[in-house]
Amino acid sequence: QVQLVESGGGLVQAGGSLRLSCAASGRTLSFYDMGWFGQAPGKEREFVAHINWSGGNLYYGDSVEGRFTISNDNAKNTVYLQMNSLKPEDTAVYYCSAQRITTGAYDYWGQGTQVTVSS
């Protein structure tokens, strides 16, 4: 079992910044990479960013490239998403997820944290 808990969401004006955190726990974290997804109301969940626990294999969705930065702190088993230059279209529930390395499947998901960007 892997447990994921997101935090850091909130209401921010366009152009502002937020930093989301994902606290991970479990005995098998080394078998997983980590990712962030965003889901706006009525829309499909969209890939945002990906990282492994060594801080490599960095990937970003096209819509956030250059604005968001994913990082991790291995000592804290925590993954971060620094969100800068936020746009109203970034408004979504953001989920942290653990991707099993052997299969590529995102097996575990956090509860999500709401990010709302006002215009």
Side-chain angles (χ1 to χ4, degrees), residues 100-114:
R100 190 171 180 87
I101 296 170
T102 56
T103 67
Y106 284 92
D107 287 344
Y108 298 96
W109 297 83
Q111 84 287 351
T113 186
Q114 176 71 49

Side-chain angles (χ1 to χ4, degrees), residues 4-99:
L4 305 171
V5 180
E6 303 96 333
S7 62
L11 176 64
V12 64
Q13 289 190 330
S17 298
L18 287 172
R19 189 176 75 156
L20 307 184
S21 297
C22 172
S25 61
R27 297 179 180 179
T28 60
L29 291 179
S30 63
F31 296 105
Y32 292 86
D33 289 353
M34 303 296 295
W36 285 98
F37 292 77
Q39 187 169 26
K43 297 184 179 179
E44 294 186 344
R45 195 165 297 184
E46 181 181 5
F47 171 76
V48 173
H50 174 280
I51 194 171
N52 67 24
W53 286 108
S54 298
N57 282 355
L58 299 174
Y59 301 100
Y60 295 94
D62 290 342
S63 65
V64 307
E65 183 76 47
R67 298 188 297 120
F68 293 7
T69 303
I70 189 170
S71 62
N72 69 280
D73 185 337
N74 286 330
K76 298 180 179 179
N77 286 340
T78 300
V79 178
Y80 304 97
L81 185 68
Q82 179 66 45
M83 311 168 74
N84 296 328
S85 301
L86 282 161
K87 304 175 181 179
E89 51 262 45
D90 296 321
T91 295
V93 177
Y94 284 82
Y95 297 90
C96 179
S97 187
Q99 181 190 43

